[in-house]
Amino acid sequence: SQRFRRACLVSIVGNAFEFGIKGYEFNYDNLPRWIEDAENDVAIDDIKKIESTCDRVRDVLLLTDNAGEIAFDKILVGQLKDMGLTVTVAVKAAPISNDATMEDAFSVGMMEAADKVLTTGTDSVGLLLEECSKEFLATYAKAELVIAKGMAHYETLSDHKLTQPHAFMFRVKCPAISSDLEVPLGKNIAYLIDPEASENQGINS
């Protein structure tokens, strides 16, 4: 639906909140224009596939990225809840880089929006499963769809053998990711990696 698509795009544009990446400039004044242009800036567009995955699952886990962007993620969480899904949101256990923590989740009212908010049990950049808490790992294993915000989640998780569908949503902000995905800097990504679909087609993603 248009509403789901819009919620995804707004959440991805929220990922533009980034300071301290070499060669990447962020300016708050650009946000309205970026939201306006979000549709034209999508380089990998699996939003329809992500929506149809939502139609066949119940439990969704959202991995947050930057503190500023969590307010935009709340819009997506609201949309997922409207679709009848159970949504758990995971933040970092302690400040690292500018990633969202429990304090940020409280400040945007994520507790009211999601069914549950927990921490990963670690402050690693991205998701290093070997460092996460038992509670988080149990939640992660149970999730039927993982929505992972930000480049660091893509970098750390795309190397793993994923067992459930993962929707990676972020803005391309560094040359390494840009060349890995063959996508220009500043583009929006909604990339679904679905191991079940790959197995069915007999290909190895």
Side-chain angles (χ1 to χ4, degrees):
S1 70
Q2 247 344 90
R3 288 183 63 173
F4 180 76
R5 184 171 185 80
R6 200 82 193 126
C8 288
L9 291 173
V10 166
S11 176
I12 293 168
V13 170
N15 187 238
F17 279 83
E18 193 80 68
F19 302 95
I21 289 188
K22 199 174 172 214
Y24 176 78
E25 293 295 320
F26 174 72
N27 183 333
Y28 285 103
D29 300 340
N30 291 338
L31 266 184
R33 183 172 56 80
W34 282 347
I35 289 173
E36 204 57 43
D37 291 347
E39 190 64 71
N40 307 323
D41 285 340
V42 187
I44 295 178
D45 185 354
D46 285 342
I47 294 175
K48 270 205 174 71
K49 284 188 202 166
I50 295 165
E51 187 172 11
S52 57
T53 304
C54 288
D55 289 340
R56 62 179 171 80
V57 302
R58 197 181 149 69
D59 268 318
V60 177
L61 170 65
L62 177 91
L63 306 175
T64 60
D65 186 36
N66 299 327
E69 123 190 33
I70 192 171
F72 291 76
D73 295 336
K74 190 181 166 188
I75 295 167
L76 179 56
V77 169
Q79 183 59 36
L80 293 165
K81 289 295 300 166
D82 286 350
M83 293 160 76
L85 295 161
T86 303
V87 185
T88 304
V89 172
V91 294
K92 295 293 193 297
I96 172 83
S97 179
N98 54 359
D99 286 6
T101 59
M102 264 314 184
E103 198 181 331
D104 303 304
F106 273 112
S107 71
V108 301
M110 191 61 97
M111 279 55 184
E112 291 73 46
D115 292 282
K116 186 176 180 186
V117 181
L118 81 172
T119 80
T120 56
T122 174
D123 61 358
S124 63
V125 173
L127 196 67
L128 301 175
L129 294 172
E130 58 277 13
E131 292 183 10
C132 293
S133 68
K134 280 202 174 83
E135 183 197 12
F136 172 78
L137 288 173
T139 305
Y140 178 67
K142 190 171 73 85
E144 296 168 282
L145 169 66
V146 177
I147 296 176
K149 295 293 307 293
M151 293 189 300
H153 282 130
Y154 173 71
E155 287 178 286
T156 48
L157 283 169
S158 56
D159 287 344
H160 274 274
K161 182 150 179 45
L162 302 176
T163 54
Q164 74 271 67
H166 280 60
F168 294 99
M169 296 188 189
F170 56 92
R171 200 170 174 93
V172 178
K173 289 169 288 195
C174 79
I177 297 271
S178 168
S179 65
D180 179 52
L181 290 170
E182 299 177 356
V183 159
L185 285 168
K187 291 293 184 189
N188 298 329
I189 301 297
Y191 181 27
L192 181 69
I193 297 181
D194 186 347
E196 292 153 24
S198 308
E199 278 162 27
N200 296 346
Q201 292 156 13
I203 55 168
N204 193 352
S205 59

